[in-house]
Amino acid sequence: MTPQQSKGNKTGNEGKSAIANGLNLPISIKHAVHISKMIRGKNVATAKIILQEVIDEKKPVPFRTNANGMGHKKGPLGAGRYPQKACKNILSLLESAEKNASFKGMNTSTLHITSLVPSKGPTVMRSGRGAGQAKNTHVYIVLGEHA
C-alpha cells in the first residue's frame, strides 16, 4: 500500500502522475528526510541540479533538526551537510520517475515533485565482532504535471 492510498487522498488527476518507489535503499532515514524537505514541490530539472550540486559539495543540505554539534555553512544556511550517498540514490530514483512519466506520454519539461515520502525500512541486525544495524529506507516519489 502506498502512502497516498493509506492517507486516502484523492488528487483528481491519478492518470496524470508518474510514480517511482525505492525499497530498502542503503541510506540514512535522517538524510532522506532532510533531502526530501529541500526538493519537495520543485521542478524536476531544478531538483536534479540541486542534488548534483550536493553530490559535488557545492550546496549543502540544511539540517533544521538533529543538528547538535553540526558545523555551520557559509551564508544564512546554518547547520548543514553533504549527504552524497543519499543524494545519489534519490537522484537515480528521480530519474526513474521521470522516465516513467515520459513512457506515459507526459510532458517532462513541466514535471514537478508532488510527493516525496521517505519512510523507515526493516532493521537488519549484522553479526560478528563489529555488529550493528544496517540502514534501510523506503522512498516514494510522485511526479505531476503543472497545468
Side-chain angles (χ1 to χ4, degrees):
M1 180 176 290
T2 63
Q4 292 287 59
Q5 291 170 345
S6 64
K7 291 181 184 176
N9 293 339
K10 296 293 180 186
T11 57
N13 58 354
E14 284 78 18
K16 296 282 186 179
S17 62
I19 297 170
N21 201 3
L23 299 175
N24 296 330
L25 299 176
I27 59 176
S28 168
I29 181 71
K30 179 170 75 170
H31 290 171
V33 166
H34 290 295
I35 292 168
S36 66
K37 284 182 183 178
M38 186 172 75
I39 66 170
R40 188 180 292 129
K42 293 196 176 2
N43 190 356
V44 172
T46 307
K48 286 167 68 174
I49 291 170
I50 290 171
L51 290 173
Q52 192 59 47
E53 286 178 348
V54 173
I55 292 169
D56 296 338
E57 293 188 4
K58 293 180 182 174
K59 183 174 186 174
V61 175
F63 278 59
R64 304 287 182 221
T65 59
N66 308 97
N68 288 341
M70 191 178 298
H72 281 59
K73 303 301 175 202
K74 290 182 182 178
L77 177 69
R81 282 194 178 159
Y82 302 99
Q84 296 175 340
K85 183 178 178 183
C87 283
K88 287 177 186 175
N89 280 295
I90 292 176
L91 180 62
S92 67
L93 194 62
L94 188 62
E95 289 171 349
S96 174
E98 187 178 21
K99 288 177 184 175
N100 290 344
S102 67
F103 180 75
K104 281 187 165 184
M106 298 168 65
N107 187 3
T108 56
S109 62
T110 61
L111 289 177
H112 68 284
I113 301 170
T114 57
S115 176
L116 198 154
V117 182
S119 59
K120 190 174 186 308
T123 303
V124 179
M125 298 300 291
R126 292 185 176 161
S127 60
R129 189 168 203 182
Q133 294 180 354
K135 293 182 270 190
N136 282 325
T137 303
H138 304 318
V139 180
Y140 178 76
I141 296 179
V142 179
L143 303 180
E145 284 183 327
H146 277 295

